[in-house]
Amino acid sequence: MRILLLVLLLPTYCLAGVINWIVVDYPPYYILEGDFSGQGRDELVIDLVSANLVGYQFKRHVMPASRAVKAINKDDEVYCMASLYRNDERRKFIRFTDEYSTLGLSPAIAMRKTTAEKLGLDSKSPVSLTRLILNHGLTIGTTLNRSFGKEIDEIIALSPEPQVSARAGRDTLESLTYMLMKGRVDIIVGYPSEHTFLKTTMDKQDSLIQLSVLEAKAVSKGYIGCSKNAQGDETVKAINNVLNNVNQSEQFKAVMLRWLPENMAPTLTPYL
């Protein structure tokens, strides 16, 4: 009887439950090994959110990126993932936060410095991806079946087929960066943080430059998504309340800027 009474008197947050965070091996958002292990943007966001959630237990599950989003679809457990794009298809089985969990710059391009110098380009000014492909005849490397937003996707889709090199599989952007450094393509598309991380790990000779794209939107927002069940709904409410404070903190700002090149950080800073 005493034990039952003690349980009933426990604070309700002690019974809040478990949040299973989904983690993928995708630098610089998740860095699972090497010198920068644990310093990925999204895993640091998970750390910030978890530290402010009272009464929850946390587990992390490493999954292939190809099935990570679908793994959230649980009836009896709560699985969550940071930095997801919201769309109608995902809303069928995912409950999203109202507050954003990540704020980043839209896609950018990387090219060899020798190419940029020949075209009179520098990192201070955005460039037109359309002009680089159609007017200057540059070849572009991109990830197969990956969306970079409507504007960039349309440019790539309408580019002459011989000038587009699409790659599939794991570590695709790493492979494309290698191709770029070897001169097999002239430009590659990715997100600024991705380019910066790969430059840090691959471009020891400092041969590459990153440029903003005129046709892309300024910023992109990611949200935390959790299993769409009763417990997941309550979890999202709790996370949403935490995010309201987290994404206004200096720690959050530092995380968002962690993998941006110095020349691009001022573009994102006003939005933080």
Side-chain angles (χ1 to χ4, degrees):
M1 186 67 178
R2 287 184 177 180
I3 294 175
L4 177 60
L5 181 60
L6 179 62
V7 171
L8 292 174
L9 291 175
L10 282 173
T12 55
Y13 62 73
C14 290
L15 307 175
V18 177
I19 296 177
N20 296 282
W21 291 110
I22 294 175
V23 172
V24 298
D25 187 5
Y26 202 96
Y29 308 122
Y30 300 92
I31 306 174
L32 305 187
E33 56 186 24
D35 294 339
F36 302 104
S37 177
Q39 298 180 43
R41 185 195 68 178
D42 292 0
E43 57 190 324
L44 290 175
V45 168
I46 289 174
D47 290 343
L48 288 175
V49 171
S50 299
N52 287 275
L53 279 173
V54 178
Y56 283 89
Q57 296 179 350
F58 308 99
K59 296 180 181 178
R60 299 195 185 193
H61 305 265
V62 180
M63 298 184 183
S66 58
R67 69 181 183 90
V69 174
K70 288 294 184 182
I72 297 175
N73 192 5
K74 299 284 185 179
D75 292 328
D76 55 349
E77 293 181 277
V78 178
Y79 277 71
C80 299
M81 192 170 181
S83 192
L84 292 176
Y85 286 116
R86 298 186 298 196
N87 58 40
D88 291 339
E89 180 61 30
R90 289 178 175 179
R91 283 190 175 94
K92 294 177 182 177
F93 61 94
I94 297 176
R95 182 74 70 197
F96 287 98
T97 56
D98 296 322
E99 299 286 339
Y100 60 82
S101 63
T102 53
L103 190 65
L105 295 180
S106 289
I109 60 168
M111 67 166 57
R112 294 182 299 280
K113 287 184 176 179
T114 52
T115 304
E117 290 169 3
K118 188 182 298 184
L119 296 175
L121 306 175
D122 62 61
S123 60
K124 296 178 182 178
S125 304
V127 297
S128 169
L129 183 58
T130 303
R131 284 190 173 188
L132 291 177
I133 297 172
L134 300 183
N135 293 17
H136 296 287
L138 300 190
T139 55
I140 180 170
T142 185
T143 304
L144 188 66
N145 296 326
R146 185 181 187 188
S147 174
F148 293 102
K150 180 182 178 182
E151 296 82 6
I152 304 300
D153 290 349
E154 286 183 353
I155 293 171
I156 296 172
L158 295 173
S159 298
E161 190 173 335
Q163 289 177 240
V164 179
S165 184
R167 290 289 182 268
R170 193 178 175 215
D171 301 327
T172 309
L173 193 58
E174 182 177 333
S175 299
L176 289 169
T177 302
Y178 179 80
M179 291 173 63
L180 177 64
M181 294 172 67
K182 292 296 182 180
R184 297 174 189 170
V185 292
D186 296 315
I187 50 180
I188 57 175
V189 184
Y191 286 86
S193 295
E194 297 170 352
H195 288 315
T196 302
F197 178 79
L198 290 173
K199 182 174 177 62
T200 301
T201 56
M202 296 178 66
D203 186 20
K204 303 301 182 183
Q205 302 301 315
D206 192 27
S207 64
L208 303 181
I209 188 173
Q210 185 177 171
L211 303 167
S212 300
V213 177
L214 277 172
E215 293 90 346
K217 293 180 179 179
V219 296
S220 57
K221 293 180 179 180
Y223 300 83
I224 291 178
C226 297
S227 305
K228 196 173 184 178
N229 55 42
Q231 190 178 351
D233 292 348
E234 292 303 314
T235 300
V236 166
K237 289 179 183 177
I239 293 175
N240 212 51
N241 290 334
V242 166
L243 281 176
N244 192 42
N245 294 320
V246 166
N247 62 21
Q248 302 298 319
S249 68
E250 291 302 316
Q251 297 99 315
F252 178 82
K253 294 177 183 178
V255 170
M256 293 303 103
L257 296 172
R258 174 70 175 86
W259 291 106
L260 281 182
E262 289 185 9
N263 68 292
M264 289 187 173
T267 305
L268 184 63
T269 301
Y271 297 92
L272 293 171

